[in-house]
């Protein structure tokens, strides 16, 4: 695993966020010999470079990044609610769509820290070839590719959370480097990312190149990870612009991942896989999938593409632990709980009128994703996925799902966070196929087949209530099927809010990614069916209706900028649905 190295910590701490760039960081750095480390004396050997590369990846394990992956990607959606007896006004405000600029979750500092770390490496690494003959042009190209890819992933998170964000390739290594930066538009940032990823994918290591079962095949940016990220970015941009060519690119890069995973499976199946599969996806069977994919003790799953690697010794995934498992040692309750949409089945689950997400109790995910599924008396449901320490095997004929198991050790919480996995990419492709299909085209059937492959692997082997193609007669039906299957498959993995945003954008007119929100005079209204899905976690009427009423237009999809950022950088423009007065308030 990655080592704890003081030399990279000093560099990684130089940029604490854009606000930190505009005030002195000296107090934070005085314990380190910063001039020696970031200066020319440091970049001498191949070892120096790889220590810095490891440092960049380790900075992605920061508590704040994992916390925001959950809050930005899941909590705002219909999946999660706050534990009833957990007192936190900030979470209450977010739940009520009062996203105040003073909210701590608005901070983007941890992501800009990683971006700056990548920029430091990119701006120095070429010089090492002249210092160390063992650091070859090939080594340089691979390192550069990894840093371009990791930086692009961070910018993609920021665009999805804030839309208009500062973009820089400059490395901040001293107070003298600091200068204010204005926000760029989504068009500019996403194109920069795609340009960098197009370069990176040529030189970056393919999955498996590090050797069988080497954690770097999943813990580093690889060619599969780059292609998955490119598919995701194209899918996002296509949703905002309704671009058929971007949807097609999402299909192309999804296919690249699917085909590469098939080739990897074929190469190593005699070592790692005991059961032959009929298709090219080779997905785990449903009743062992929870254990194989999310149980870190089993290693990185062959389905996985990119996982942040936590070993429980040098690092622990304490953010996931606090939000999904236990918020304090001995407390046995997490900060967040699954919403009631996971508690029973609904024959309308694939429509925008659905109250629940599962179609059948024969779906292993119904029992595995949460504890006490199908318990009518359960006021709140604890999350099981990613935190359960048992085998995960269930009996679909059960009356009520398993009670929460708190046997997992609180300290040294070793649990990887999956950024991309194969079923995610399969469903990205399905989404893009639907959006490029005519009402009765072959592409709708191809999209259905991908959804069916994901759904069927999670069904009890003797079940007869699997999906039927005849039930999805229109393009709109198929769009909602893909959206629903993504929630069944990827719940709590930081995907759902972004999925809902894409769904909303596809049905909005007048979106302009070439302009910042603050520079526009008006904004398109949100798509009502998307809002119906969001508010179902609130139950009928009351708070849900109030939330739906508040979310009127495009700016409400995004977080406000943190107040401290706008105070120190006068070039930043606040999300226009938020205003700054003597006391921060909301329009």
């Amino acid at each position: 695993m990655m080592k704890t190295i003081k030399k990279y910590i000093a560099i990684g701490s130089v940029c604490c966020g854009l606000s930190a760039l505009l005030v002195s960081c000296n107090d934070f750095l005085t314990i380190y010999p910063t001039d020696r480390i970031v200066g020319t004396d440091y970049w001498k050997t191949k070892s120096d470079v790889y220590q810095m590369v490891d440092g960049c990846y380790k900075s992605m394990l920061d508590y704040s990044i994992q916390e925001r992956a959950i809050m930005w990607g899941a909590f705002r959606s219909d999946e999660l609610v706050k534990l009833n007896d957990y007192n936190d006004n900030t979470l209450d405000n977010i739940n009520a769509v009062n996203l105040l600029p003073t909210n701590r979750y608005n901070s983007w500092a941890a992501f800009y820290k990683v971006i700056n770390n990548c920029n430091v490496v990119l701006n120095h690494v070429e010089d090492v070839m002249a210092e160390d003959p063992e650091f070859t042009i090939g080594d340089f190209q691979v390192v550069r590719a990894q840093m371009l890819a990791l930086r692009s992933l961070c910018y993609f998170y920021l665009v999805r959370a804030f839309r208009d964000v500062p973009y820089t390739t400059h490395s901040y290594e001293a107070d003298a480097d600091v200068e204010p930066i204005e926000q760029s538009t989504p068009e500019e940032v996403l194109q920069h990312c795609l340009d960098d990823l197009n370069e990176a994918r040529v030189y970056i290591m393919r999955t498996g190149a590090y050797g069988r079962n080497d954690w770097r095949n999943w813990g580093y940016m690889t060619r599969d990870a780059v292609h998955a990220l490119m598919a995701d970015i194209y899918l996002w941009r296509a949703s905002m612009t309704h671009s058929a060519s971007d949807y097609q690119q999402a299909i192309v890069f999804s296919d690249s991942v699917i085909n590469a995973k098939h080739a990897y499976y074929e190469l190593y199946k005699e070592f790692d896989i005991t059961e032959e599969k009929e298709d090219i996806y080779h997905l785990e069977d449903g009743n062992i999938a929870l254990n194989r994919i999310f149980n870190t003790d089993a290693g990185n799953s062959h389905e996985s593409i990119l996982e942040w690697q936590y070993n429980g010794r040098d690092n622990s995934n304490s953010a996931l632990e606090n939000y999904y498992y236990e918020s304090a040692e001995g407390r046995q309750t997490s900060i967040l709980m699954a919403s009631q949409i996971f508690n029973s089945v609904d024959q309308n689950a694939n429509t925008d009128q659905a109250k629940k997400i599962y179609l059948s109790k024969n779906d292993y995910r119904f029992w595995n994703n949460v504890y006490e599924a199908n318990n009518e008396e359960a006021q709140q449901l604890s999350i099981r996925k990613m935190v359960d320490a048992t085998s995960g095997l269930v009996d679909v004929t059960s009356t009520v799902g398993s009670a929460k198991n708190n046997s997992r050790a609180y300290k040294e919480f070793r649990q990887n966070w999956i950024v991309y996995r194969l079923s995610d990419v399969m469903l990205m492709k399905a989404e893009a196929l639907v959006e490029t299909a005519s009402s009765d085209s072959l592409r709708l059937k191809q999209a259905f087949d991908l959804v069916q492959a994901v759904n069927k692997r999670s069904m009890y082997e003797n079940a007869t209530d699997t999906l039927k193609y005849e039930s999805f007669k229109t393009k709109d039906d198929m769009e909602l099927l893909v959206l629903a299957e993504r929630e069944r498959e990827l719940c709590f993995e930081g995907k759902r809010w972004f999925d809902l945003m894409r769904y909303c954008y596809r049905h909005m007119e007048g979106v302009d990614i070439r302009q910042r929100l603050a520079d526009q005079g008006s904004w398109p209204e949100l798509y009502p069916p998307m809002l119906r899905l969001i508010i179902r976690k609130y139950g009928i009427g009351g708070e849900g209706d109030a939330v739906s009423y508040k979310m009127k237009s495009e700016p409400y999809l995004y977080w406000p900028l943190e107040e401290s950022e706008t105070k120190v950088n006068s070039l930043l423009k606040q999300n226009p649905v938020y205003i700054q007065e003597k006391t921060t308030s909301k329009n």
Side-chain angles (χ1 to χ4, degrees):
M1 278 299 292
M2 292 171 280
K3 301 175 182 177
T4 303
I5 303 167
K6 283 190 176 181
K7 285 194 288 187
Y8 94 73
I9 292 176
I11 303 260
S13 301
V14 171
C15 178
C16 312
L18 289 185
S19 61
L21 294 177
L22 300 175
V23 295
S24 175
C25 286
N26 286 340
D27 290 343
F28 192 77
L29 294 174
T30 49
I31 62 171
Y32 301 115
T34 56
D35 291 340
R36 177 175 62 82
I37 291 170
V38 301
T40 55
D41 289 342
Y42 175 75
W43 297 92
K44 294 294 186 182
T45 68
K46 183 176 182 177
S47 176
D48 291 338
V49 172
Y50 287 122
Q51 287 175 3
M52 283 295 300
V53 170
D54 280 353
C56 291
Y57 283 106
K58 186 161 186 177
S59 59
M60 286 301 297
L61 307 183
D62 187 87
Y63 184 99
S64 294
I65 285 183
Q66 177 65 85
E67 181 180 54
R68 279 149 188 77
I70 293 170
M71 297 304 298
W72 294 354
F75 182 61
R76 289 195 68 192
S77 75
D78 52 349
E79 291 182 345
L80 296 170
V81 295
K82 191 199 71 171
L83 177 70
N84 284 337
D85 64 356
Y86 186 80
N87 295 319
D88 190 308
N89 289 334
T90 299
L91 293 178
D92 290 336
N93 276 321
I94 294 171
N95 208 44
V97 198
N98 297 324
L99 304 183
L100 304 178
T102 52
N103 171 1
R104 69 180 182 274
Y105 297 109
N106 298 350
S107 174
W108 56 27
F111 284 94
Y112 275 109
K113 174 180 173 181
V114 179
I115 288 169
N116 192 62
N117 292 349
C118 293
N119 287 342
V120 169
V121 175
L122 288 167
N123 291 339
H124 287 285
V125 65
E126 187 172 6
D127 299 336
V128 179
M129 286 189 291
E131 300 285 344
D132 185 352
E134 292 187 7
F135 189 68
T136 66
I137 182 65
D139 296 327
F140 162 73
Q141 289 169 333
V142 171
V143 168
R144 176 174 169 80
Q146 287 194 62
M147 296 298 95
L148 291 174
L150 187 58
R151 184 176 71 186
S152 296
L153 176 63
C154 290
Y155 275 123
F156 188 42
Y157 268 107
L158 293 170
V159 167
R160 289 179 294 175
F162 299 99
R163 191 185 188 276
D164 310 319
V165 299
Y167 181 88
T168 181
T169 59
H170 181 69
S171 61
Y172 296 88
E173 303 173 40
D175 290 343
D177 296 332
V178 174
E179 60 181 12
I181 308 172
E182 66 179 3
Q183 291 140 293
S184 296
T185 66
E187 180 182 59
E188 294 167 328
V189 178
L190 295 178
Q191 190 58 56
H192 283 313
C193 292
L194 289 170
D195 291 344
D196 285 347
L197 291 167
N198 263 315
E199 177 184 342
R201 71 190 187 92
V202 176
Y203 301 106
I204 206 160
M205 302 281 274
R206 61 175 177 79
T207 301
Y210 293 101
R212 189 169 68 90
N213 292 332
D214 190 302
W215 64 268
R216 290 173 295 181
N217 289 315
W218 301 273
Y220 275 4
M221 297 296 295
T222 62
R223 190 169 300 159
D224 286 351
V226 167
H227 288 164
L229 176 56
M230 293 184 77
D232 209 359
I233 293 175
Y234 275 118
L235 193 61
W236 182 268
R237 191 170 71 176
S239 299
M240 297 184 78
T241 63
H242 308 170
S243 165
S245 61
D246 277 357
Y247 279 123
Q248 185 58 41
Q249 287 295 92
I251 294 169
V252 168
F253 286 107
S254 295
D255 276 336
S256 295
V257 175
I258 292 167
N259 293 333
K261 294 297 281 185
H262 173 54
Y264 179 80
Y265 175 95
E266 290 296 317
L267 179 63
Y268 286 120
K269 68 180 180 180
E270 63 179 292
F271 300 104
D272 300 325
I273 310 297
T274 58
E275 183 180 355
E276 289 287 343
K277 300 289 184 178
E278 296 178 356
D279 55 35
I280 66 170
Y281 309 120
H282 315 293
L283 300 177
E284 300 279 10
D285 289 333
N287 207 15
I288 59 174
L290 183 78
N291 183 258
R292 290 280 183 87
I293 297 171
F294 297 104
N295 188 335
T296 302
D297 290 335
N300 294 284
S301 163
H302 74 269
E303 289 186 32
S304 193
I305 296 168
L306 179 63
E307 300 188 22
W308 303 138
Q309 308 282 312
Y310 293 88
N311 65 14
R313 298 182 306 275
D314 303 315
N315 50 67
S316 294
N317 197 344
S318 51
L320 185 143
E321 177 182 34
N322 289 341
Y323 283 94
Y324 287 178
Y325 182 54
E326 294 182 0
S327 56
E329 189 168 11
R331 196 172 195 274
Q332 299 191 342
T333 52
S334 55
I335 294 173
L336 302 181
M337 307 289 279
S339 73
Q340 285 293 329
I341 66 174
F342 293 92
N343 199 23
S344 57
V345 299
D346 183 353
Q347 293 305 308
N348 296 312
N350 297 319
T351 74
D352 71 322
Q353 303 288 344
K355 305 303 180 187
K356 310 293 180 182
I357 72 165
Y358 297 104
L359 285 165
S360 169
K361 293 179 183 177
N362 286 317
D363 191 329
Y364 284 116
R365 296 169 299 188
F366 174 68
W367 307 97
N368 277 332
N369 286 338
V370 301
Y371 292 108
E372 296 191 271
N374 207 41
N375 183 355
E376 294 180 358
E377 298 180 359
Q379 294 184 355
Q380 289 199 301
L381 301 171
S382 294
I383 296 165
R384 184 179 187 186
K385 189 180 193 178
M386 291 179 274
V387 300
D388 190 87
T390 62
S391 66
L393 300 181
V394 298
D395 180 1
V396 297
T397 64
S398 301
T399 303
V400 176
S402 302
K404 184 172 182 179
N405 185 317
N406 286 92
S407 63
R408 189 167 187 169
Y410 182 80
K411 295 179 179 178
E412 299 182 352
F413 196 82
R414 180 190 178 195
Q415 182 63 49
N416 288 358
W417 176 259
I418 299 178
V419 182
Y420 289 115
R421 56 190 180 97
L422 181 57
S423 57
D424 182 6
V425 175
M426 291 169 64
L427 294 172
M428 285 187 207
K429 179 183 176 182
E431 187 174 320
L433 283 167
V434 170
E435 297 311 313
T436 53
S438 59
S439 59
D440 59 349
S441 77
L442 176 62
R443 290 196 167 205
L444 291 181
K445 181 59 167 64
Q446 292 172 333
F448 175 82
D449 289 343
L450 285 159
V451 174
Q452 178 75 303
V454 174
N455 183 273
K456 194 171 182 178
R457 73 91 169 258
S458 296
M459 300 296 287
Y460 176 54
E461 60 183 1
N462 295 324
T464 59
D465 50 354
T466 55
L467 301 173
K468 303 292 192 299
Y469 179 60
E470 305 79 50
S471 300
F472 306 96
K473 299 179 180 178
T474 68
K475 183 174 177 177
D476 289 342
D477 289 341
M478 201 66 71
E479 178 186 33
L480 287 167
L481 171 64
V482 175
L483 183 66
E485 190 63 29
R486 282 186 64 84
E487 182 162 36
R488 288 188 283 266
E489 176 70 12
L490 303 167
C491 61
F492 318 133
E493 297 182 46
K495 305 285 183 178
R496 178 62 173 176
W497 178 251
F498 303 138
D499 288 353
L500 289 171
M501 288 179 71
R502 290 198 309 276
Y503 175 52
C504 189
Y505 269 126
R506 286 197 296 268
H507 297 274
M508 292 168 60
E509 297 296 335
V511 174
D512 188 352
I513 68 170
R514 298 166 299 176
Q515 277 195 308
R516 295 176 294 187
L517 287 175
D519 297 332
Q520 299 177 34
S522 60
W523 310 280
E525 294 182 357
L526 300 184
Y527 185 50
M530 177 263 203
L531 296 176
R532 284 200 292 270
L533 291 174
I534 291 173
I535 66 173
R536 60 184 176 167
K537 72 177 180 180
Y538 300 97
I540 300 173
E543 189 175 8
D545 288 345
V547 166
S548 181
Y549 177 78
K550 287 179 183 178
M551 296 189 67
K552 299 175 182 178
S553 57
E554 184 184 3
Y556 287 90
L557 296 173
Y558 297 97
W559 297 79
L561 304 189
E562 189 178 39
E563 188 174 46
S564 62
E565 298 284 357
T566 59
K567 285 182 176 179
V568 298
N569 184 353
S570 61
L571 297 182
L572 294 180
K573 294 186 177 182
Q574 181 59 272
N575 184 320
V577 298
Y578 301 92
I579 59 174
Q580 303 297 315
E581 294 180 347
K582 191 170 185 180
T583 58
T584 304
S585 60
K586 191 170 184 290
N587 271 337

